[in-house]
Every structure is written in C-alpha cells, then in structure tokens.
Amino acid sequence: MLLINIISCSHELAFIDQLTEIPGRRALDNELKHLGRTFTLAMIDVDHFKKFNDKYGHETGDDVLKLVASLLKQIEGGGKAFRYGGEEFTILFKGKTIEQCLPLLEELREKIAKYKMIIRDHDSRPHSDHAGLKERGQRKKSKSVKVTVSIGVAENYIEHEPESVLKLADNALYEAKNAGRNCVQQAG
C-alpha cells in the first residue's frame, strides 16, 4: 500500500502543476507522444502578466494563473489544458481540426475577458476559517480587474510532428500579441 502511495504521489509531483492543479509540461510532452492522425494545439498567454504581477504582487499574480487555469479546464470539445510554463498554457485537442477548435477557443477567450477578478488584499486576509466566517458578508469595497489572454492555434495539417505544430501555434500566439492582444490567431 505504501509503495502505491509513493508512486501515486511521485506521478502527481511529476505531472501536475502544483500552483494551478492542471497537468504540466511533462504531462503535455507525454500526451504528444500518443496522438492520432488529427490534432490541434493552442498556445495561450496571459496578456500583460508581468505588469500585472508588478502592480498587484506575486500572490495576486498566482491568483490570476489559478483563475485562468480553472477556466481553461472548462474548455468544450474534448480539449485538455496544460500549464506550459510561466504564464503560458497549452490546450490539446485530439481528433479535432482547427475549424472545429476556433469557435471553442474564441468562446474561451471571451469567457476569460468577461470574468471580473476581485483583487484580494493578501496582507489583511483573516488567518483562520473562523475569522473568515465572521468577516464574510462585511466585505469592504474590493477592486476588480479583467484579465485577458492571447491565443495562437495550429493543427497538424501542414506539419505532422507535434513539436512543429506547437512551434506554429507559438508563432501564431506572437501574431495575436502583435495584433493587439486579447484575440485568437490561426497559424498559416
């Protein structure tokens, strides 16, 4: 039993991103080894993340990453979200063409952009559940912000190797950034 628990914990540490609780880069690399004929990859980047982190602090930056990850997990169409690194994420759609994925990604982008994130004052937060329950409902005026993402997407129609498709999606992501951010760009 102990051995099974150790293996399970080791797998989780290796494949699940501890901050966002979604699969990480190693899990993505593993998935990319087991793809069928058709797949689409999307690269997602949180817009102006460094400025956001600098303005509100790293704890709030972590909250942004957790929020984005939680919304990415809700992607329709069988997509699977991964934390690629830093403020970058990847969504893998097995068996889907880019035409099938574009509306799903646009819907996701809009959902993230419409979400009002409350900026929490981490220093004045209650230090216990009991104190938090007492203060609940007596909220002081909180500031809310909107977070946006840019998305680049590519399929294996032109390039067949997953790493090449990922590179195309990454290039499309930079095109989305150059197009003004908060948009979806298709490779090609």
Side-chain angles (χ1 to χ4, degrees):
M1 199 65 161
L2 179 63
L3 182 59
I4 291 170
N5 191 30
I6 291 171
I7 292 169
S8 176
C9 289
S10 297
H11 179 271
E12 188 169 314
L13 284 172
F15 290 96
I16 303 295
D17 179 68
Q18 289 185 321
L19 177 67
T20 61
E21 297 180 350
I22 64 173
R25 179 90 175 261
R26 187 172 285 171
L28 173 64
D29 290 342
N30 193 46
E31 287 283 333
L32 294 178
K33 294 175 185 172
H34 308 286
L35 295 172
R37 287 182 165 218
T38 305
F39 65 92
T40 298
L41 285 165
M43 290 295 293
I44 297 107
D45 188 76
V46 178
D47 294 330
H48 303 293
F49 184 73
K50 184 178 178 345
K51 287 181 186 177
F52 195 95
N53 231 2
D54 291 345
K55 183 173 183 176
Y56 298 108
H58 292 282
E59 284 185 75
T60 301
D62 287 350
D63 290 343
V64 168
L65 296 175
K66 290 177 198 176
L67 168 69
V68 170
S70 73
L71 295 171
L72 292 178
K73 284 195 305 191
Q74 298 172 24
I75 187 78
E76 301 279 327
K80 186 172 181 182
F82 300 86
R83 183 166 182 204
Y84 194 74
E87 70 273 15
E88 281 192 321
F89 297 87
T90 303
I91 297 179
L92 169 61
F93 295 92
K94 290 182 177 181
K96 299 282 186 202
T97 65
I98 202 165
E99 288 79 19
Q100 294 170 307
C101 298
L102 284 170
L104 302 171
L105 292 167
E106 183 58 35
E107 182 181 316
L108 175 67
R109 184 202 59 76
E110 287 177 16
K111 186 177 189 177
I112 293 169
K114 288 179 182 175
Y115 193 97
K116 287 185 180 178
M117 181 179 157
I118 304 297
I119 300 296
R120 297 178 176 178
D121 181 2
H122 288 280
D123 295 329
S124 65
R125 292 201 67 182
H127 295 286
S128 72
D129 289 343
H130 181 70
L133 283 172
K134 283 175 123 180
E135 291 182 22
R136 193 163 285 146
Q138 301 174 9
R139 183 177 288 187
K140 301 154 194 107
K141 191 171 183 173
S142 299
K143 181 177 181 174
S144 68
V145 295
K146 293 198 176 192
V147 175
T148 62
V149 296
S150 297
I151 302 174
V153 59
E155 67 181 344
N156 68 320
Y157 180 69
I158 298 170
E159 292 287 342
H160 301 290
E161 290 301 315
E163 294 79 17
S164 299
V165 178
L166 200 57
K167 182 73 172 155
L168 288 172
D170 199 43
N171 290 341
L173 170 62
Y174 284 101
E175 289 175 26
K177 295 277 188 190
N178 292 332
R181 302 179 194 275
N182 191 26
C183 63
V184 178
Q185 276 303 108
Q186 178 178 341

